[in-house]
Amino acid sequence: MGFQPTFDAILSCFKGLPAPERILVSTHLAFLVVALSFASVRRVFDCIARRVTASKEDRPESIAPVRVDDWSISIVAIFDEDSLVFYLPSIQASAWLVLSLSVLHCKFKAFERYPLLLRLWWFVSFVLCVYIGYIDVTGIVRDGSKRLLSSHVLSNFAAAPALAFLCFVSIRGHTGIELHRGDFDLRERLLVEEEAGCLRVTPYSEAGIFSLVTLSWLNSLLSIGEKRPLELRDVPLLAPNDRSKTSYKILSSNWERQKAENPSKQPSLALAIFRSFWKEAACNAVFAGMNTLVSYVGPYLISYFVDYLGGRIAFPHEGYILASVFFVAKLVETIATRQWYLGVDILGMHVRSGLTAMVYRKGLRLSNTSRQSHTSGEIVNYMAVDVQRVGDYSWYLHDIWMLPLQIVLALAILYKNVGIASVATLIATIVSIVVTVPLAKMQEEYQDNLMTAKDDRMRKTSECLRNMRILKLQAWEERYRVMLEEMRGVEFKWLKKALYSQAFITFIFWGSPIFVSVVTFATSILLGGQLTAGGVLSALATFRILQEPLRNFPDLVSMIAQTKVSLDRISGFLQEEELQEDATIVLPRGFTNFAIEIKDGEFCWDPSSARPTLSDIQLKVEKGMRVAVCGMVGSGKSSFLSCILGEIPKISGEVKLCGSAAYVSQSAWIQSGNIEENILFGSPMDKAKYKSVIHACALKKDLELFSHGDQTIIGDRGINLSGGQKQRVQLARALYQDADIYLLDDPFSAVDAHTGTELFKEYILAALANKTVIFVSHQVEFLPAADLILVLKEGHIIQAGKYDELLQAGTDFNALVSAHHEAIEAMDISDDTAENPSEPVCVDSSLMFSERCKSTARNINTLAKEIPEKETPSDRKVIKEKKKAKRKGKKQLVQEEERERGKISMKVYLSYMAAAYKGLLIPLIILAQTMFQVLQIASNWWMAWANPQTKGDTPKTSNMVLLVVYMALAFGSSCFVFVRAILVATFGLAAAQKLFVKMLRSIFRAPMSFFDSTPAGRILNRVSVDQSVVDLDIPFRLGGFASTTIQLFGIVGVMTKVTWQVLLLFIPMAIACLWMQKYYMASSRELVRIVSIQKSPIIHLFGESIAGAATIRGFGQEKRFMKRNLYLLDCFARPFFCSFAAIEWLCLRMELLSTIVFAFCMTLLVSFPHGSIDPSMAGLAVTYGLNLNARLSRWILSFCKLENKIISIERIHQYCQIPSEAPPIVESCRPPLSWPDNGTIELDNLKARYKECLPMVLHGITCTFPGGRKIGIVGRTGSGKSTLIQSLFRMVEPADGKIIIDSIDISTIGIHDLRSRLSIIPQDPALFEGTIRGNLDPLEEHSDHEVWQALDKCQLGEVIRRKELKLDTPVLENGDNWSVGQRQLVSLGRALLKQARILVLDEATASVDTATDNLIQKIIRTEFRDCTVCTIAHRIPTVIDSDLVLVLSDGRVAEFDNPMRLLEDKTSMFYKLVSEYSTRSTSV
């Protein structure tokens, strides 16, 4: 039909094709036909299946007729000889289109493996590609360049990488799609309950080669981040090999092995780290080495490229081959760099995780002596700063061997270009390096001093935050803030020296490549060598690459020095003495009848002291015995319990324990978290057991009062619990553990008489009836119930026996009991109570106890009128549901740490820029950097232009002019660098100091509610980590970003000047870069914020664990806390890992784009006809172009890192805007100097709550405390006593009502004026690190004589006189070297010195024995006889002689009258409280 000639023509044309192309077309056509055949057959079968099932009526229309013949003819008809050149490649295109659709089909149908035909097709295609490549290469060698320009040769080479990848995929066969069959519903349910992010492991762990190279395993996370702000649950888990546990185990085992191998030799932490992670470092070194080698390919080839452009062609198509080599070298450099940097970050992460875990474990094991030489602030610094620095060293790890390699490669290239003058280069380079050594030493010294000053400031800051309540109550916060600012001043002095020396080093190392190039060119000229444009440009490109290691050398030296300091500090800490492992011998349960056995025990807190703390201790305690320990303040009672726990260093003797132990410390240690978590303390929940524990610890009513019940989050150090509640939560924690031996350190001191009695009976007598109990107590009334009483005096057990035996023996025990009886007799109601037949005393104590509980409950219920008398089960259910709903609506006291979301506000940048000199330095910094860039380009242009293009050409100027102009331009540019560095340092210093002072003042002016609801770790994180970033990082990041931006403009300017066509590609590339940067920043910003937030819990747990180490060890919970620490480290490492991987993801894509632009520029330069452009200028463009990918990625990187670091300013900014409490001084309303002269306190309808979101604590209190009278304030635990006192000091502002003192409404005057005129002895005694004198009189307002008088009055005079340093006797952190009772007495001493008209005692004598308490009360009655004294006390004798007694119940006034009058009324609550106390005492 006329088609035959056309077909013949196609066939003859096909035969005329080269053999490789014929093979390729035939193969693709065959595969295409087979694929279409398969698809057709499958379609036919599908149609048949449908036709069988279809009804007969529908058959004619069910399949449309397909005219295959016509379709085939129409296809063949369009072929003719002219269009054959186009249509044959279209066969291949069609084949690849079918392949692409097949792959999409696999994804759409969710196939786990690719079809066999597809895999075979890919494999055969690659084999053909390799075969055709071989034929082409042999053809090029034989025929020359004609064959190189063939289209099929170019397309084959271009397709090779993609086909190689597809061949690899075809061998594996996996599509990467995972199917989970069968248990889908189950998985769905799990995902609802668990956080999705916690179930997914990072794809990095199982990523393929392509995914690892391109970092595309991160795509899924970045795509989520682009849609919405990321949360921690979105961040996948680390692979098992990257988790903290793995790093810790490896590092710890190597450290221990090293210590064991040679115990006499000092172990090396650096060696342990090397042994643990050398494989990772070696793998990383391969990429670092590859990067170094290929980075010198460009500089080496530039001279050949300039020669080629100048017309000196060595071989055909030299230009294209050179351009290809340039491109491949840059491509390999890009991939190697990214893999190197990612590996370095992962290595650093592993080292940090391992070291942090080791420091934490050591903190839990430290002995008391070691603990005294390392404060908790210092230990936190080891973890937060030193460990970070050691981890950061991984970045500099390979520089040690890379620097010599880079110098050798550079010298080799320079020798090729400038000959023997390269020796001068070597000398100049060595001089540049040697000059840095003294500078680096100076830097190290400054860094050391800076770290020491920072340690001191952090220690004092930590102490101030812990004791902020005391500072505010005593009106000392201003003094301590000034002290912190002075400490910051010392730190700032070293910071200034460090930053200015850094600026000088920056100048030297921007100047050193210029110095090296000047020396090299000058030597070459003086030796008579002729420089050419190509040689000069090659040398300049080499200097630019050499500039990086030279500039990094001071950093390397400085970093080695800093890392050594940090390693030595950590190593020293890790080698500190630990608790003696043989201090106690723990025997298994049931091994012996004795629970505790001490033989010839001698113990001393300070082993160097001549006088032991405890000596000649002999004790045998049988199982199930109750042992009471009593004695005067400072007699060694708490130390006695410590010796049983193994906490106190044992000098001699033997301590045996049979079974597990539980310990309740005198100063309550409460963990952050909710009440339930504190009670369970890691044990599984057993509802029945939990309820019985709550009942035994009298916590039921307290939990009902909390808005969230036992789910109430406890503030920092249990701030939102009263002293009694904290103590009972501790007791509940111990009871729930179901230990064999219970060691209780004065557990009843913080609770009222009724609760104390209830606790003693329900807890010690009932719940612990079958346990061994050793309890320290100042309450004499509990002693008769003990099977054995130990009386301690000056570290000796002076008496031991039963109650009656000891009474008959007389001496010290008799004195304690007599003091107690004196106090009881002073109440003058015990006889009356005993005679009252309605309340029998000793007939049946348990019956009496339950009756009294009932009567008290009735009284409270009547008073509150809140609970109906009779409740049916259904009523109770309704009430329960209502409470649940109420709790949901109420906020917790401690909220999750706040973080900004979305883009960083421009205000943050502007506020930082305006912080120093109102931003005037910013334009000067930009100007200096611009001038540097202009002069540097000018100097390079001058050298390229003035030198001849090839050897033999005449130079455009004399050698002297050439050198002088170059030197002037080069050194001029380095001067501007110096100016910029100085300006950046000046700006950074001023801004950092201004922000610090603003934040510190904002924190110190914050209300107490802020500290109650904000864990100290969060505040410390901002004043340490974030402040360090602002001090040392941000100014240089800002300067770096400005300089990189200007350098980038310079590079683009030079390339555009030579080949303007580059702009055609550069503009879309810039748009793509900005889009990618925006896409990346959406995730990166949130990841950095999450990282910042996840750092706080680690620091917080650290501080908390160190403070409660004795309790943790007492319960044997070290392993659980270690696991918790590892978990928190992983929570920090997860976003941190993704954060730095995201940076590499972005840089890789940026550099690939810039490599394409560079390749395009090279191709253009090669394509231009010879002579159309100046070879020197083209060479200059290539010299700068070689730097384009590095500069572009550095520009984006510097912006991203700047934005990530700016988050620190954002976080500091948050703390600069904390709502402050009332002004310290109101100038228009200052009280007279003599105020308060009378001391009358009027409470008018006073209502108070701790926070807007929390319920009312005081409900409309109205009463008047007359001036100069003694007021006793009593009530059950949690009745609002401490809140009333806090309202008086305006720690809690009244929600309604007012307090008037001597006719002045206290809400109208400044809080400093108010608090400085009142005096308080608080419930929790706090001592500050320093001296005894500094603790009594921090404002230095009193003479030594007055201080001694105060010490004598508070019964501490003799104790201090016995000390060697007298008033300068040291006080350790938290006052740890003084007993709790002694700390209370120091607080009394402060009040005696202050001599205010109004004195408040908040459980001031709870931790002292009755005899000392009686003495203190006499001193207070004498010294404060004309003052208004408000006393909160659980010991009734303390308030019984008051002029008036205020009884509080549930935040309301229950009674307010003279105590004697209240005692006359047998129905009064006060009478009941007194009778409870006296019955408890007389039952003795």
Side-chain angles (χ1 to χ4, degrees):
M1 287 182 70
F3 298 119
Q4 190 62 40
T6 310
F7 187 75
D8 291 340
I10 292 170
L11 204 60
S12 62
C13 257
F14 182 73
K15 284 177 182 174
L17 286 172
E21 203 154 329
R22 285 209 304 269
I23 294 165
L24 205 60
V25 171
S26 305
T27 309
H28 282 306
L29 199 56
F31 272 116
L32 187 61
V33 170
V34 172
L36 290 172
S37 302
F38 269 123
S40 303
V41 169
R42 195 169 173 184
R43 168 115 180 161
V44 168
F45 277 114
D46 283 351
C47 289
I48 291 166
R50 279 204 302 272
R51 290 185 75 140
V52 168
T53 54
S55 62
K56 286 183 180 180
E57 295 82 52
D58 293 330
R59 270 183 207 166
E61 297 103 70
S62 60
I63 300 175
V66 178
R67 297 189 58 192
V68 178
D69 294 344
D70 292 355
W71 181 73
S72 311
I73 290 162
S74 63
I75 290 289
V76 175
I78 59 170
F79 281 100
D80 58 45
E81 286 183 47
D82 297 329
S83 60
L84 206 65
V85 177
F86 171 75
Y87 286 119
L88 279 174
S90 72
I91 292 171
Q92 294 181 52
S94 304
W96 284 106
L97 180 65
V98 170
L99 275 174
S100 305
L101 291 171
S102 304
V103 172
L104 284 172
H105 178 72
C106 291
K107 189 176 180 182
F108 182 71
K109 291 288 185 183
F111 292 158
E112 289 186 79
R113 295 180 74 80
Y114 288 110
L116 186 63
L117 179 68
L118 207 59
R119 290 164 61 192
L120 188 65
W121 194 335
W122 285 340
F123 182 76
V124 170
S125 295
F126 177 66
V127 171
L128 281 172
C129 178
V130 172
Y131 166 65
I132 292 164
Y134 170 72
I135 291 172
D136 287 340
V137 169
T138 51
I140 290 165
V141 171
R142 188 178 64 252
D143 303 337
S145 62
K146 287 178 188 174
R147 195 181 181 102
L148 185 66
L149 293 173
S150 165
S151 64
H152 88 84
V153 173
L154 292 172
S155 67
N156 191 61
F157 277 119
L163 286 170
F165 172 68
L166 288 175
C167 176
F168 172 73
V169 172
S170 72
I171 293 164
R172 280 191 71 208
H174 289 289
T175 60
I177 297 168
E178 283 186 47
L179 292 179
H180 301 281
R181 299 178 182 87
D183 60 342
F184 190 73
D185 295 336
L186 178 69
R187 289 180 64 81
E188 281 292 302
R189 277 199 297 278
L190 275 173
L191 285 169
V192 172
E193 287 168 16
E194 296 280 342
E195 286 190 334
C198 295
L199 297 175
R200 256 185 14 255
V201 174
T202 175
Y204 173 75
S205 58
E206 292 178 357
I209 292 172
F210 179 75
S211 183
L212 288 172
V213 168
T214 60
L215 300 166
S216 52
W217 54 267
L218 202 63
N219 290 352
S220 57
L221 184 70
L222 295 178
S223 66
I224 295 170
E226 200 247 346
K227 289 169 194 159
R228 59 173 172 81
L230 289 173
E231 302 292 343
L232 182 63
R233 66 173 180 272
D234 299 317
V235 182
L237 299 174
L238 294 173
N241 286 344
D242 293 325
R243 287 179 198 166
S244 308
K245 188 178 180 180
T246 310
S247 303
Y248 163 66
K249 276 187 172 177
I250 295 168
L251 186 56
S252 183
S253 65
N254 279 305
W255 172 249
E256 293 303 328
R257 191 183 305 135
Q258 210 183 124
K259 287 203 292 189
E261 278 170 5
N262 198 343
S264 58
K265 193 182 169 191
Q266 190 91 338
S268 165
L269 186 58
L271 184 61
I273 292 170
F274 175 75
R275 282 179 177 176
S276 303
F277 305 109
W278 70 269
K279 286 178 185 170
E280 286 178 54
C283 179
N284 203 235
V286 173
F287 289 113
M290 196 189 298
N291 169 71
T292 304
L293 291 170
V294 294
S295 65
Y296 280 91
V297 170
Y300 180 78
L301 293 177
I302 278 181
S303 56
Y304 294 110
F305 191 72
V306 173
D307 287 349
Y308 168 78
L309 293 177
R312 294 176 62 193
I313 301 168
F315 54 89
H317 302 291
E318 182 190 2
Y320 287 106
I321 289 168
L322 282 172
S324 301
V325 173
F326 270 116
F327 174 68
V328 171
K330 289 312 276 178
L331 197 63
V332 172
E333 184 188 344
T334 296
I335 291 166
T337 307
R338 301 293 46 104
Q339 293 301 317
W340 169 27
Y341 286 178
L342 184 68
V344 151
D345 276 320
I346 292 171
L347 177 63
M349 181 178 81
H350 289 169
V351 171
R352 273 191 291 272
S353 297
L355 276 178
T356 306
M358 283 177 72
V359 170
Y360 180 81
R361 184 194 63 175
K362 188 73 182 182
L364 287 181
R365 293 180 177 181
L366 276 188
S367 71
N368 183 64
T369 319
S370 307
R371 182 73 187 77
Q372 287 181 14
S373 55
H374 300 276
T375 64
S376 56
E378 278 175 20
I379 299 171
V380 167
N381 253 2
Y382 294 142
M383 187 203 69
V385 180
D386 292 298
V387 167
Q388 181 73 30
R389 192 175 282 165
V390 174
D392 288 346
Y393 180 70
S394 61
W395 276 90
Y396 298 86
L397 184 65
H398 302 300
D399 289 0
I400 299 165
W401 60 267
M402 275 167 57
L403 184 67
L405 176 65
Q406 285 167 319
I407 290 170
V408 167
L409 289 171
L411 289 173
I413 294 170
L414 288 169
Y415 184 76
K416 180 179 84 72
N417 292 311
V418 296
I420 199 71
S422 57
V423 174
T425 309
L426 178 62
I427 294 165
T429 304
I430 291 167
V431 168
S432 297
I433 290 170
V434 167
V435 168
T436 64
V437 175
L439 285 170
K441 280 186 177 172
M442 188 169 71
Q443 269 286 82
E444 184 192 346
E445 184 198 337
Y446 293 158
Q447 283 289 343
D448 261 5
N449 290 319
L450 179 63
M451 283 307 301
T452 308
K454 191 183 181 69
D455 277 354
D456 293 342
R457 174 175 68 82
M458 284 309 300
R459 191 164 62 239
K460 187 54 78 178
T461 306
S462 177
E463 188 175 59
C464 288
L465 292 176
R466 263 197 321 272
N467 300 310
M468 188 56 77
R469 188 174 296 277
I470 300 290
L471 294 183
K472 286 186 177 291
L473 287 169
Q474 299 283 8
W476 291 344
E477 69 264 47
E478 193 62 23
R479 169 79 187 95
Y480 276 82
R481 181 185 61 74
V482 169
M483 195 188 294
L484 277 176
E485 284 184 14
E486 285 167 1
M487 293 175 102
R488 169 67 181 179
V490 174
E491 182 188 355
F492 187 71
K493 181 184 83 176
W494 294 113
L495 181 67
K496 189 183 278 188
K497 288 183 176 180
L499 287 191
Y500 280 131
S501 64
Q502 185 66 45
F504 188 63
I505 288 170
T506 305
F507 159 67
I508 285 177
F509 285 93
W510 274 99
S512 61
I514 294 165
F515 166 68
V516 170
S517 60
V518 166
V519 168
T520 304
F521 293 145
T523 308
S524 181
I525 289 165
L526 291 171
L527 290 174
Q530 189 186 3
L531 294 171
T532 61
V536 165
L537 289 170
S538 179
L540 286 173
T542 308
F543 292 140
R544 188 170 279 116
I545 289 183
L546 197 59
Q547 181 180 19
E548 203 66 31
L550 279 181
R551 201 168 69 234
N552 286 344
F553 186 73
D555 287 348
L556 173 64
V557 174
S558 169
M559 199 65 195
I560 289 172
Q562 286 179 35
T563 307
K564 189 181 179 300
V565 168
S566 289
L567 278 169
D568 289 346
R569 275 161 60 96
I570 297 168
S571 181
F573 176 68
L574 292 177
Q575 290 174 69
E576 282 288 4
E577 182 190 44
E578 294 185 5
L579 286 168
Q580 295 168 325
E581 287 185 15
D582 62 341
T584 56
I585 300 163
V586 180
L587 304 170
R589 185 183 294 176
F591 189 81
T592 170
N593 284 331
F594 291 107
I596 299 167
E597 200 175 341
I598 305 176
K599 286 181 190 170
D600 307 321
E602 192 167 307
F603 308 88
C604 188
W605 286 114
D606 181 7
S608 60
S609 169
R611 194 168 161 219
T613 310
L614 297 171
S615 59
D616 194 27
I617 304 293
Q618 308 282 352
L619 180 69
K620 281 189 179 182
V621 178
E622 288 181 16
K623 278 186 185 170
M625 274 181 80
R626 275 193 293 276
V627 181
V629 182
C630 57
M632 302 287 276
V633 171
S635 60
K637 300 182 295 298
S638 297
S639 297
F640 177 71
L641 292 187
S642 296
C643 86
I644 297 170
L645 288 166
E647 291 289 319
I648 181 168
K650 183 176 72 177
I651 295 166
S652 64
E654 186 179 64
V655 182
K656 286 181 185 173
L657 255 72
C658 184
S660 58
Y663 170 61
V664 175
S665 58
Q666 188 174 10
S667 299
W669 178 71
I670 303 290
Q671 261 192 292
S672 301
N674 61 39
I675 294 171
E676 184 190 282
E677 286 167 2
N678 266 279
I679 294 171
L680 297 182
F681 206 52
S683 300
M685 168 59 92
D686 177 340
K687 281 287 181 189
K689 182 177 167 186
Y690 184 74
K691 278 185 177 174
S692 65
V693 166
I694 296 290
H695 171 71
C697 297
L699 275 169
K700 194 167 187 297
K701 188 165 185 298
D702 299 271
L703 295 182
E704 284 170 3
L705 290 172
F706 288 125
S707 55
H708 292 79
D710 63 357
Q711 297 306 306
T712 300
I713 302 265
I714 298 171
D716 207 14
R717 302 179 312 282
I719 210 91
N720 50 336
L721 300 181
S722 71
Q725 286 166 337
K726 277 191 261 190
Q727 197 67 279
R728 280 177 291 136
V729 168
Q730 276 211 120
L731 287 165
R733 175 169 62 204
L735 182 56
Y736 194 84
Q737 297 306 307
D738 196 23
D740 302 310
I741 301 163
Y742 282 79
L743 306 171
L744 315 175
D745 195 351
D746 200 9
F748 310 115
S749 60
V751 295
D752 59 71
H754 167 68
T755 312
T757 310
E758 195 178 335
L759 268 178
F760 188 73
K761 297 207 171 180
E762 293 290 340
Y763 192 90
I764 289 182
L765 300 183
L768 299 181
N770 302 317
K771 306 286 185 182
T772 308
V773 183
I774 296 189
F775 65 96
V776 171
S777 183
H778 290 130
Q779 281 88 344
V780 175
E781 58 271 24
F782 295 140
L783 300 182
D787 301 317
L788 177 68
I789 298 169
L790 304 176
V791 183
L792 266 76
K793 186 177 182 182
E794 294 179 358
H796 299 274
I797 299 176
I798 54 164
Q799 284 176 286
K802 283 188 176 288
Y803 183 78
D804 295 331
E805 293 167 14
L806 295 180
L807 267 185
Q808 287 163 13
T811 65
D812 291 69
F813 183 71
N814 214 349
L816 282 170
V817 176
S818 302
H820 175 70
H821 282 310
E822 270 178 47
I824 296 301
E825 282 158 18
M827 296 198 303
D828 213 19
I829 71 144
S830 54
D831 297 341
D832 180 47
T833 314
E835 285 162 16
N836 192 339
S838 66
E839 292 189 28
V841 176
C842 296
V843 183
D844 184 348
S845 61
S846 64
L847 180 69
M848 173 204 78
F849 180 68
S850 63
E851 283 299 318
R852 193 162 64 247
C853 283
K854 284 174 189 170
S855 67
T856 310
R858 276 199 298 275
N859 193 17
I860 291 170
N861 290 348
T862 315
L863 179 88
K865 292 181 183 173
E866 283 177 357
I867 302 165
E869 283 182 21
K870 288 179 181 177
E871 283 178 359
T872 63
S874 59
D875 288 341
R876 276 200 294 274
K877 201 175 182 185
V878 170
I879 288 167
K880 224 174 188 181
E881 289 302 316
K882 279 184 180 174
K883 277 186 181 175
K884 239 183 185 177
K886 218 174 184 183
R887 281 174 190 175
K888 277 184 182 175
K890 285 178 180 172
K891 280 186 182 176
Q892 291 274 23
L893 174 70
V894 180
Q895 299 293 311
E896 275 194 22
E897 185 166 2
E898 70 288 347
R899 70 173 170 110
E900 303 289 336
R901 277 173 171 76
K903 198 175 178 186
I904 290 173
S905 167
M906 200 62 203
K907 282 181 186 174
V908 177
Y909 286 97
L910 295 174
S911 71
Y912 177 67
M913 289 177 185
Y917 309 105
K918 296 185 178 175
L920 293 174
L921 295 183
I922 302 290
L924 294 176
I925 291 168
I926 293 168
L927 180 66
Q929 181 60 38
T930 307
M931 288 305 298
F932 161 72
Q933 191 63 29
V934 167
L935 290 174
Q936 206 178 42
I937 291 171
S939 65
N940 292 343
W941 173 85
W942 169 258
M943 288 303 281
W945 174 82
N947 279 298
Q949 282 172 21
T950 54
K951 285 187 179 176
D953 289 2
T954 49
K956 292 176 184 172
T957 180
S958 68
N959 287 341
M960 189 53 69
V961 172
L962 175 79
L963 209 57
V964 169
V965 171
Y966 178 66
M967 284 171 71
L969 289 170
F971 284 115
S973 70
S974 61
C975 286
F976 278 108
V977 162
F978 182 61
V979 171
R980 191 211 77 185
I982 292 290
L983 287 173
V984 166
T986 307
F987 167 80
L989 284 164
Q993 188 66 357
K994 191 171 178 181
L995 282 170
F996 174 81
V997 171
K998 193 177 176 185
M999 173 171 64
L1000 188 70
R1001 289 181 180 176
S1002 175
I1003 289 169
F1004 270 74
R1005 291 283 304 114
M1008 203 59 223
S1009 58
F1010 168 75
F1011 300 98
D1012 291 350
S1013 58
T1014 309
R1018 286 185 198 172
I1019 305 171
L1020 287 173
N1021 203 3
R1022 280 172 170 81
V1023 294
S1024 64
V1025 178
D1026 290 315
Q1027 187 61 45
S1028 282
V1029 169
V1030 176
D1031 286 346
L1032 298 164
D1033 258 13
I1034 291 180
F1036 293 108
R1037 295 265 176 230
L1038 205 60
F1041 175 65
S1043 71
T1044 314
T1045 307
I1046 291 160
Q1047 280 178 326
L1048 195 61
F1049 280 127
I1051 291 170
V1052 174
V1054 170
M1055 288 173 77
T1056 310
K1057 172 78 176 69
V1058 178
T1059 53
W1060 63 265
Q1061 293 88 342
V1062 169
L1063 278 176
L1064 298 175
L1065 202 59
F1066 188 81
I1067 290 167
M1069 187 201 76
I1071 293 165
C1073 282
L1074 289 169
W1075 177 84
M1076 272 196 285
Q1077 183 264 339
K1078 190 181 173 187
Y1079 179 77
Y1080 153 83
M1081 274 315 295
S1083 299
S1084 173
R1085 197 187 298 119
E1086 300 308 322
L1087 285 169
V1088 171
R1089 283 172 176 152
I1090 294 168
V1091 166
S1092 301
I1093 284 173
Q1094 291 305 317
K1095 187 95 178 168
S1096 299
I1098 299 172
I1099 293 174
H1100 186 69
L1101 178 75
F1102 216 82
E1104 200 170 60
S1105 302
I1106 302 265
T1111 303
I1112 294 167
R1113 289 191 294 260
F1115 283 94
Q1117 294 263 13
E1118 296 103 307
K1119 273 188 182 174
R1120 185 172 72 84
F1121 275 79
M1122 194 66 211
K1123 276 182 185 173
R1124 174 76 183 155
N1125 180 54
L1126 292 172
Y1127 166 74
L1128 289 176
L1129 283 172
D1130 283 338
C1131 284
F1132 169 75
R1134 277 160 58 195
F1136 181 70
F1137 170 70
C1138 292
S1139 176
F1140 62 67
I1143 290 173
E1144 302 311 328
W1145 180 93
L1146 179 70
C1147 287
L1148 178 74
R1149 279 145 185 80
M1150 296 289 177
E1151 291 191 15
L1152 286 174
L1153 280 174
S1154 57
T1155 302
I1156 290 164
V1157 171
F1158 176 62
F1160 178 68
C1161 175
M1162 296 286 288
T1163 310
L1164 282 176
L1165 290 171
V1166 170
S1167 305
F1168 289 150
H1170 287 292
S1172 62
I1173 52 167
D1174 184 349
S1176 306
M1177 291 303 101
L1180 188 65
V1182 173
T1183 307
Y1184 274 89
L1186 281 172
N1187 243 7
L1188 178 65
N1189 65 341
R1191 281 287 155 250
L1192 184 69
S1193 68
R1194 181 159 289 184
W1195 176 65
I1196 293 293
L1197 196 61
S1198 65
F1199 175 70
C1200 295
K1201 283 197 170 178
L1202 173 66
E1203 181 146 303
N1204 289 346
K1205 295 291 183 186
I1206 283 284
I1207 287 168
S1208 287
I1209 289 177
E1210 184 182 71
R1211 284 161 58 78
I1212 287 173
H1213 206 59
Q1214 284 174 348
Y1215 273 30
C1216 290
Q1217 296 170 323
I1218 305 165
S1220 64
E1221 59 183 351
I1225 292 167
V1226 179
E1227 289 296 344
S1228 60
C1229 195
R1230 295 205 70 175
L1233 286 174
S1234 60
W1235 182 86
D1237 38 21
N1238 185 25
T1240 303
I1241 303 169
E1242 297 170 51
L1243 307 175
D1244 181 13
N1245 191 33
L1246 181 66
K1247 293 179 183 175
R1249 57 154 69 101
Y1250 280 95
K1251 222 177 177 190
E1252 280 298 316
C1253 60
L1254 296 176
M1256 285 284 184
V1257 182
L1258 300 180
H1259 304 271
I1261 290 181
T1262 303
C1263 59
T1264 301
F1265 301 164
R1269 308 293 282 278
K1270 309 290 175 279
I1271 316 294
I1273 303 170
V1274 293
R1276 305 258 185 260
T1277 300
S1279 60
K1281 302 184 296 292
S1282 291
T1283 310
L1284 176 63
I1285 298 308
Q1286 296 210 55
S1287 300
L1288 183 63
F1289 281 82
R1290 285 178 69 189
M1291 303 294 279
V1292 176
E1293 292 287 351
D1296 195 9
K1298 54 189 174 184
I1299 301 173
I1300 296 166
I1301 298 178
D1302 285 358
S1303 307
I1304 293 180
D1305 182 348
I1306 63 167
S1307 61
T1308 61
I1309 63 172
I1311 52 173
H1312 182 79
D1313 281 340
L1314 169 68
R1315 291 169 188 167
S1316 59
R1317 310 293 176 88
L1318 308 179
S1319 195
I1320 185 167
I1321 304 173
Q1323 189 171 3
D1324 297 319
L1327 296 192
F1328 295 86
E1329 192 180 355
T1331 64
I1332 280 290
R1333 198 199 192 293
N1335 268 281
L1336 284 162
D1337 180 30
L1339 304 182
E1340 296 171 1
E1341 294 174 337
H1342 302 278
S1343 66
D1344 282 4
H1345 176 66
E1346 288 171 314
V1347 173
W1348 276 117
Q1349 276 186 324
L1351 283 169
D1352 286 331
K1353 285 171 188 171
C1354 68
Q1355 306 302 300
L1356 277 174
E1358 276 311 305
V1359 179
I1360 305 294
R1361 281 189 183 89
R1362 282 204 298 268
K1363 303 278 183 186
E1364 200 178 320
L1365 296 170
K1366 306 291 189 284
L1367 289 179
D1368 292 326
T1369 299
V1371 176
L1372 297 180
E1373 190 180 21
N1374 297 325
D1376 284 346
N1377 55 335
W1378 299 85
S1379 75
V1380 178
Q1382 287 170 328
R1383 288 180 231 167
Q1384 282 282 31
L1385 296 175
V1386 171
S1387 295
L1388 174 64
R1390 287 172 184 159
L1392 288 163
L1393 275 177
K1394 200 171 184 181
Q1395 284 293 331
R1397 289 289 298 174
I1398 296 174
L1399 171 67
V1400 176
L1401 287 88
D1402 186 0
E1403 287 299 330
T1405 55
S1407 299
V1408 298
D1409 59 273
T1410 313
T1412 312
D1413 185 12
N1414 292 349
L1415 199 60
I1416 289 168
Q1417 294 307 323
K1418 282 174 189 167
I1419 292 163
I1420 288 170
R1421 280 195 284 274
T1422 311
E1423 296 296 323
F1424 298 98
R1425 57 181 171 274
D1426 300 324
C1427 304
T1428 307
V1429 180
C1430 302
T1431 307
I1432 294 177
H1434 290 139
R1435 284 183 181 157
I1436 297 299
T1438 309
V1439 295
I1440 201 75
D1441 67 340
S1442 302
D1443 299 314
L1444 290 164
V1445 169
L1446 172 67
V1447 184
L1448 291 177
S1449 176
D1450 293 341
R1452 293 179 172 84
V1453 176
E1455 292 154 5
F1456 182 50
D1457 207 338
N1458 179 284
M1460 291 307 128
R1461 207 169 298 139
L1462 288 172
L1463 287 175
E1464 286 167 13
D1465 178 6
K1466 299 287 189 288
T1467 60
S1468 74
M1469 274 191 77
F1470 184 63
Y1471 179 83
K1472 284 183 169 57
L1473 286 168
V1474 173
S1475 59
E1476 276 164 17
Y1477 191 84
S1478 58
T1479 11
R1480 181 175 86 177
S1481 304
T1482 50
S1483 66
V1484 164

